[in-house]
Amino acid sequence: MPAPPPSQPRRTLTIILLDGVVVGARAVRRALGGRGDGSRLAHVAIAASLGVLLATTYSIVAVLRTPERLTPVAVSPAPGVAATSVLTTGTPGEPPSPTPTSRTPTRAATTGGRPTTPPAAPPPGAPSVEVPSAAAAPTRIPLRADFAVVENALLSYGAAVTIANPGPTAVTDWALVIVLPRKSLEITSVSGARASRDGAVWTLVPEGSGGVVPGHGSVRVTFRVSGAAISATPTACTIDEVACTGLPG
């Protein structure tokens, strides 16, 4: 049995192109050798054509051998269009859902250009401190008044009322009320207060800065009552509705 013929090597595209270049060069050479009247210009043109053919062949061979060196042309997106990436994984048969490439950060609330921070809680076991909402006004201590007859005459008498302030704060307003036994009696020559009447009831109030009762101090109001002291002394005396002391029994 005769031996099988040897297998021919595989002809690649590069070998085919090189064979074509060689065959073309031989054909040109034969054509030039057969012509005795070939000019120098024709030789130069044919040599240039061969050079271009060789360069083209070399470029094609280089591209075919190293296709990974080709750099793809990147197309920039149009201005104002946000780039998004599409999620390629998922359940077969369902369209992929787009996933944004970036997120917009949430801006924290600010006060005065700075982030607001809640007050820190006191540590466990620390004593609580109560802040008063407003300063409490000091409580006014009632005034005291003492009545006294300081001068006796035949048809009138002089009287004095000492108003004392036991508290630490000065008192600028007060009302001293004196009730005489008859409407016909009058109070005159008042000093340290201003007097007004309603029948037999007389009301004396501060007049100017002289009527201010300083803290832990006192002021003195004097006046004259028409009528003998034995029958014209007051039947009642109060300072801010607190009874006076010193009235005859």
Side-chain angles (χ1 to χ4, degrees), residues 189-211:
S189 304
V190 180
S191 175
R194 184 177 67 255
S196 61
R197 71 179 297 181
D198 182 11
V201 179
W202 292 76
T203 303
L204 288 78
V205 295
E207 184 176 20
S209 59

Side-chain angles (χ1 to χ4, degrees), residues 211-235:
V212 176
V213 187
H216 303 294
S218 63
V219 294
R220 194 164 185 255
V221 178
T222 60
F223 53 88
R224 195 164 192 85
V225 179
S226 62
I230 192 173
S231 60
T233 53
T235 57

